[in-house]
Amino acid sequence: MKQLWGGRFDSDPASLAMNYAESIEADSRMVAEDIWGSEAHAIMLARQEIITEEELRQILKYLELAREEFAQGTRTLKRELEDVHMNVETVLIEGAGKEYGGKLHTARSRNDQVIVDSKLHLRTRLLDVADALAQLRGVLLERATNHTEDVMPGYTHTQHAQPITVGFWLSAYASALARDHERLQGAFNRANTSPLGACALAGTSFPTDRRLVAKLLGFDRVHEHALDLIGARDFVAEALSAMAILMSTLSKLAQETVLYSTYEFRMVELDDAFAFGSSIMPQKKNACLAELARARAGNVFGRLMQVLTMIKGTPIGYNRDVQEDKPPLWEALDCTEATVLVLAGVVSTLELKLERMRELAGANFSTATELANCLVRDHGRPFRESHEIVGNIVGQLCKEGKNFNDVERTGELLREHGIELARDELAAVVDPERVVRAQRSLGSTNPREVQRMIADLSRTLDRDANWSAAARQRIAAAQTHTREIVQRIIEGGSLAECRL
Ligand code: ARG
């Protein structure tokens, strides 16, 4: 098939060549975006009197036809036309002839066009990920609120460290995910700039209005420097990096779900709807979703590495290398959104085994630090010395197969170090519930502090959800604005009657 760019060629590309170069699959997600971008461009061309209003009308009419046919599936992207841009332009040229359809590409290049399409699509998909994330954050906070008093072991090195509350544990993820949201928002903001009008790399000698195009497409502002923007894919790397970091947070949550649902821990139990069985072992109830989530962090890291490697060392200006940004970007967006949603399902239905958590919190010396603190506070011992004393006592109790629950024996051992502690007082010092309530520093596991932080995180979540809703609204308003102009022109109206 003769290519629209084929003037200087004596033959069409070999099918081997076209099969290697075409980007139809990745581009198929950007058909509506390509049409919207073309409408905005054509409106601007007419407004600047670079094309006539009649030419605009013909162009918009066939863009409308393209929109309908691609949406209904009566027309699909043709591989032999290389990409979405050539496919859409071909509809115009077939319909309106070169006389009209052939004018759309004035003062535009596929180089700036493809960035418009990607950014328009990325914007919405990043909001989808942010909204899914808001759902997970909401689930974590809601569950955390109900367990600000229930104790569980807190771990360092996956060894019992100090008692914490279940609300503290769950809200820790809500706290981390709030930062992950900020990174998505940052990626959105930096992607939300208009490249159209950079043309191939150097701008154009036509009197274009880049700001008008940016406005019609709902971009925050124009990305001005044509040479910089045309090969820049840092917005892709940044979105992937935000998603990679988010996936790393999710992989920790996934890992804890796997671990805590084992027989050895038994601190949580998966809901049947979010667990899988074995084809041979009838007793199995596997945390497959959490395992897949843990593994799929690797998929997204890989996509980030793929894009960074693609960008690296490319000379400034457009290089065909950058066509390869879309498959990894789409894949990472799909994978991240699905992982967030599936973990929201897992966490919202997870049974928390509070008794078991309480038992473990008291079983393995997690209150030892507080006992050492008590020797400092009430018995005038320097911390290093009290650490040594409590360490000795723990060592001795271990040898005897006992723990702090044997208050009698613990008191005796303290006495050997010259420390008198009344039985009740000692029982209180090694009681996990009392220990969590004794914490008083900013950000600690103290139930009141946890409630305060949950309230704070809930406010942050509301603010983030409002941001996303407002961003969607701006996009929808820009879309409606463009649609209204398109309708009016197609119906025979003139640009002068349009609000621009
Ligand atoms: N499919 C190309 C891409 O994704 C579109 C731009 C092609 N530009 C060119 N000069 N061949 O980057």
Side-chain angles (χ1 to χ4, degrees), residues 222-236:
V222 172
H223 183 156
E224 289 181 5
H225 200 295
L227 180 58
D228 159 34
L229 79 85
I230 212 68
R233 292 299 182 275
D234 50 289
F235 73 94
V236 178

Side-chain angles (χ1 to χ4, degrees), residues 23 27 83 85 110-111 114 233 318 320 322-323 326:
S23 54
D27 285 11
D83 55 31
H85 325 298
R110 280 187 292 170
N111 297 354
V114 71
R233 292 299 182 275
Y318 179 83
R320 192 67 179 258
V322 300
Q323 175 171 303
K326 286 171 285 301

Side-chain angles (χ1 to χ4, degrees), residues 361-382:
N364 190 25
F365 305 105
S366 72
T367 53
T369 306
E370 206 43 43
L371 181 54
N373 287 346
C374 164
L375 303 192
V376 172
R377 203 165 18 238
D378 304 335
H379 300 266
R381 306 294 177 110

Side-chain angles (χ1 to χ4, degrees), residues 44 106 122 158 172 214 222 258 266 282 317 334 340 361 363 369 395 416 457 467:
M44 182 279 292
T106 315
L122 174 62
T158 330
V222 172
V258 173
R266 289 196 302 285
D334 292 350
V340 172
T369 306
E416 286 174 17
L457 289 166
W467 167 80

Side-chain angles (χ1 to χ4, degrees), residues 5 21-24 26-27 30 82-86 109-115 118 200 230 233 318-326:
W5 43 255
E22 55 90 0
S23 54
I24 293 302
D27 285 11
M30 314 189 297
E82 196 180 354
D83 55 31
V84 63
H85 325 298
M86 290 320 201
S109 156
R110 280 187 292 170
N111 297 354
D112 54 351
Q113 194 181 352
V114 71
I115 308 174
S118 312
I230 212 68
R233 292 299 182 275
Y318 179 83
N319 303 277
R320 192 67 179 258
D321 306 51
V322 300
Q323 175 171 303
E324 295 305 286
D325 65 348
K326 286 171 285 301

Side-chain angles (χ1 to χ4, degrees), residues 196-267:
L196 211 60
C199 303
L201 79 166
T204 176
S205 53
F206 287 101
T208 53
D209 180 353
R210 296 188 61 195
R211 287 195 189 85
L212 174 57
V213 175
K215 184 175 162 200
L216 290 170
L217 296 175
F219 284 119
D220 272 350
R221 57 198 182 281
V222 172
H223 183 156
E224 289 181 5
H225 200 295
L227 180 58
D228 159 34
L229 79 85
I230 212 68
R233 292 299 182 275
D234 50 289
F235 73 94
V236 178
E238 187 175 1
L240 283 167
S241 153
M243 288 189 278
I245 298 172
L246 164 58
M247 287 297 286
S248 80
T249 311
L250 299 177
S251 75
K252 293 167 156 228
L253 178 58
Q255 165 62 2
E256 288 201 277
T257 309
V258 173
L259 199 62
Y260 295 171
S261 62
T262 57
Y263 182 79
E264 285 72 10
F265 279 83
R266 289 196 302 285
M267 294 207 293

Side-chain angles (χ1 to χ4, degrees), residues 259-295:
L259 199 62
Y260 295 171
S261 62
T262 57
Y263 182 79
E264 285 72 10
F265 279 83
R266 289 196 302 285
M267 294 207 293
V268 301
E269 181 163 349
L270 293 165
D271 191 85
D272 283 1
F274 288 92
F276 288 79
S278 155
S279 63
I280 175 171
M281 297 167 282
Q283 85 286 8
K284 289 304 289 286
K285 184 171 182 184
N286 296 326
C288 292
L289 295 171
E291 291 171 314
L292 287 166
R294 190 171 65 181

